[in-house]
Amino acid sequence: MKRPAVTKYVVPAIAESFGFVEWLQSGVRHTPLSPAVHQDPYPQYHRLREKDPVHWSPLLVGWVLTRYEDIDNVLRDWKRFENSNEAVGRFEPEFQPFLEDPLPMLFSNPPDHTRLRSLVAQAFTPRSIEAIKPRIREIVNDLLDQIDISKPVNIIDTFAYPLPVIVIAEMLGIPSEDRVKFREWSSSIARILEPTTTTKFFYEAAKSGEELRLYFKDLIAKRRESPGDDLMSVMIAAEEGGDSLTEEELLVTMRLLLVAGNETTTNLIANGLLALLEDSEAFERLRKDRNLLGPAVDELLRFDSPVQIDRRTALEDVVIGGKTIKKGQPLLLLLGAANRDPEQFANPNYLNFDRDETSHIAFGRGIHHCLGAPLARVEAMIAFEVLLDRYEEIELQGKRPKFKDHVVLRGMYEMLVCLEAK
């Protein structure tokens, strides 16, 4: 039996009663729906990690983990912790056709996961990423050419958002005239990752998913007749060459690539830029030494992770931190908390481009480590490099931007900046 979704319309009195019981049991509360936590979740992460690092949440009906070591171990152990697809199964039965699609590799395990991932991985090899760097730079410059810097600019809407959409669209061979629809579908479908998704938005996501499915089916048919050098053609060729990838798996994989490569990279660029603008010393150091771009992007990923939460389900009884997680119970892994764990990162609340410590887990870990991580890094590196090349000054306009009321994907509604050309 599936549990009802936790939405932003939860009755406050009920939420408070859950919170009171939670506080009595552990001396700390996890309140992911709080506006204050949306704006800055890290103080609460710190309290959870200090007081109750393996924390039972009555509101979320799951275990909340905040320590780097615990989360790292769970992510690596796919045999005992399954990457559950329950998030898209909360609303039944009206979404059954949407849910009957084959599971994308994000929610599959070996051997299916190995087969799907190995097929798509060829598009994200170091050689493949190196080959598209010049085109990414062109897209970055084209987007910035269109910005009117005589007034404050919403750098998310004009730059951070369209950049990854255009890149992944071109990789999949999507005609340029279809990018607007592509972007709308992606934004709508991404909503289902949030536990706060309402039935209304899930209907919209299901509708977008079906429209995208029909669009891809038509495009696949065209690619069969006239293959190109895009990723879609490569996957079709592999299927026809005897691989067991079905057309349904092909459709689901392309949908995953669209959504996974869109909002997360947008948030990496936007959240990262905000962190730099709020730390003038770090920003100035990056301006003077472009060799720091690689380490800086990884540090920005650690500092304010675009994906804050991952989820697993225990496949057997497991003891973590002295607590027994029962078979079938969900674990909510706070990646943002792990990346600020002082046991792993000295002075974790400050940017430090010279870290030689354990790597962050903003891209996950284990078999489900983000396949597009190399592409996201390169997009962000080029984005920051060109911004620094073109503008003498980049300043935040007005108050600190407001973050979305999301739990999983951390990003802002808008970010206004003032740009001064060199």
Side-chain angles (χ1 to χ4, degrees):
M1 181 179 71
K2 295 182 175 65
R3 301 180 179 91
V6 176
T7 77
K8 63 181 178 181
Y9 303 110
V10 170
V11 178
I14 296 176
E16 278 301 311
S17 66
F18 275 127
F20 182 65
V21 172
E22 185 178 3
W23 181 81
L24 283 178
Q25 291 176 340
S26 63
V28 65
R29 294 174 58 184
H30 178 43
T31 56
L33 306 182
S34 161
V37 172
H38 294 150
Q39 195 65 15
D40 183 5
Y42 300 104
Q44 184 170 107
Y45 291 169
H46 175 75
R47 291 191 294 272
L48 283 165
R49 195 172 48 239
E50 290 293 305
K51 289 182 174 291
D52 196 28
V54 182
H55 176 80
W56 177 256
S57 169
L59 181 64
L60 302 177
V61 196
W63 293 96
V64 179
L65 274 58
T66 49
R67 285 189 301 215
Y68 181 101
E69 183 178 5
D70 294 336
I71 293 173
D72 183 63
N73 289 338
V74 170
L75 289 173
R76 292 178 186 275
D77 192 353
W78 62 268
K79 292 184 178 180
R80 293 196 299 169
F81 301 99
E82 178 183 43
N83 197 4
S84 171
N85 194 37
E86 185 179 330
V88 296
R90 298 192 303 266
F91 305 101
E92 58 175 6
E94 59 265 44
F95 301 108
Q96 212 53 48
F98 182 68
L99 303 175
E100 286 173 354
D101 287 345
L103 290 180
M105 57 185 166
L106 183 63
F107 301 114
S108 63
N109 286 321
D112 288 340
H113 175 271
T114 306
R115 172 173 54 84
L116 291 169
R117 188 175 176 104
S118 62
L119 182 64
V120 182
Q122 57 193 298
F124 300 98
T125 62
R127 178 180 295 182
S128 299
I129 300 301
E130 190 66 31
I132 65 172
K133 277 185 179 181
R135 178 56 188 147
I136 294 175
R137 190 174 296 276
E138 286 181 6
I139 295 170
V140 167
N141 278 296
D142 287 346
L143 288 170
L144 295 177
D145 285 342
Q146 298 172 44
I147 293 178
D148 177 7
I149 65 171
S150 66
K151 55 186 177 182
V153 175
N154 180 0
I155 201 69
I156 295 177
D157 193 52
T158 59
F159 181 64
Y161 200 110
L163 173 58
V165 173
I166 295 171
V167 171
I168 195 64
E170 290 194 358
M171 289 180 67
L172 289 172
I174 305 299
S176 58
E177 61 269 21
D178 293 337
R179 286 177 191 159
V180 173
K181 291 188 297 185
F182 206 59
R183 171 177 170 171
E184 292 172 352
W185 287 329
S186 173
S187 298
S188 179
I189 295 169
R191 288 178 181 270
I192 66 173
L193 296 174
E194 297 296 331
T196 53
T197 302
T198 64
T199 302
K200 174 181 178 291
F201 286 132
F202 204 99
Y203 269 117
E204 293 178 3
K207 181 175 179 291
S208 294
E210 182 58 23
E211 291 174 356
L212 183 61
R213 173 191 175 87
L214 293 174
Y215 177 84
F216 275 147
K217 281 180 72 73
D218 180 63
L219 205 56
I220 287 171
K222 292 177 181 177
R223 288 292 184 274
R224 290 190 194 281
E225 294 180 4
S226 180
D229 58 358
D230 53 82
L231 177 56
M232 187 182 300
S233 297
V234 170
M235 289 194 289
I236 291 169
E239 175 197 354
E240 294 178 340
D243 194 279
S244 56
L245 184 69
T246 67
E247 181 166 296
E248 290 301 310
E249 288 173 328
L250 184 59
L251 289 166
V252 171
T253 299
M254 287 191 293
R255 187 168 66 197
L256 173 64
L257 289 174
L258 166 62
V259 176
N262 181 359
E263 188 160 350
T264 51
T265 305
T266 293
N267 293 344
L268 162 58
I269 295 169
N271 296 359
L273 181 58
L274 177 63
L276 290 171
L277 293 176
E278 292 183 329
D279 189 332
S280 57
E281 184 177 335
F283 202 7
E284 188 60 27
R285 189 175 176 215
L286 186 60
R287 186 183 291 278
K288 292 179 179 179
D289 186 358
R290 304 303 170 80
N291 291 323
L292 291 174
L293 278 166
V297 167
D298 270 307
E299 175 66 351
L300 293 169
L301 280 160
R302 180 202 68 81
F303 184 77
D304 201 7
S305 308
V307 180
Q308 287 284 305
I309 297 177
D310 207 344
R311 178 190 173 101
R312 293 293 186 271
T313 300
L315 297 177
E316 59 184 65
D317 290 359
V318 182
V319 176
I320 301 177
K323 305 283 184 70
T324 299
I325 287 79
K326 297 287 188 181
K327 178 181 178 180
Q329 287 184 329
L331 296 91
L332 304 170
L333 314 175
L334 303 192
L335 305 183
N339 285 331
R340 296 274 191 114
D341 187 343
E343 291 296 316
Q344 297 294 330
F345 304 101
N347 298 315
N349 297 320
Y350 295 91
L351 291 176
N352 179 0
F353 300 153
D354 300 315
R355 292 189 184 276
D356 56 1
E357 303 151 317
T358 307
S359 61
H360 65 76
I361 50 178
F363 287 126
R365 192 73 95 224
I367 65 170
H368 292 295
H369 179 269
C370 178
L371 187 64
L375 177 62
R377 281 192 177 97
V378 164
E379 287 183 55
M381 286 174 63
I382 294 175
F384 291 132
E385 181 180 15
V386 176
L387 283 170
L388 291 171
D389 285 344
R390 292 179 63 131
Y391 302 112
E392 186 69 34
E393 295 290 341
I394 305 174
E395 295 183 353
L396 196 61
Q397 173 73 15
K399 296 180 180 179
R400 191 172 196 264
K402 184 178 179 181
F403 279 79
K404 297 176 181 178
D405 60 347
H406 290 178
V407 174
V408 179
L409 301 179
R410 176 165 168 78
M412 294 166 279
Y413 290 103
E414 66 175 16
M415 183 167 69
L416 296 179
V417 297
C418 293
L419 302 172
E420 181 183 324
K422 287 188 174 180

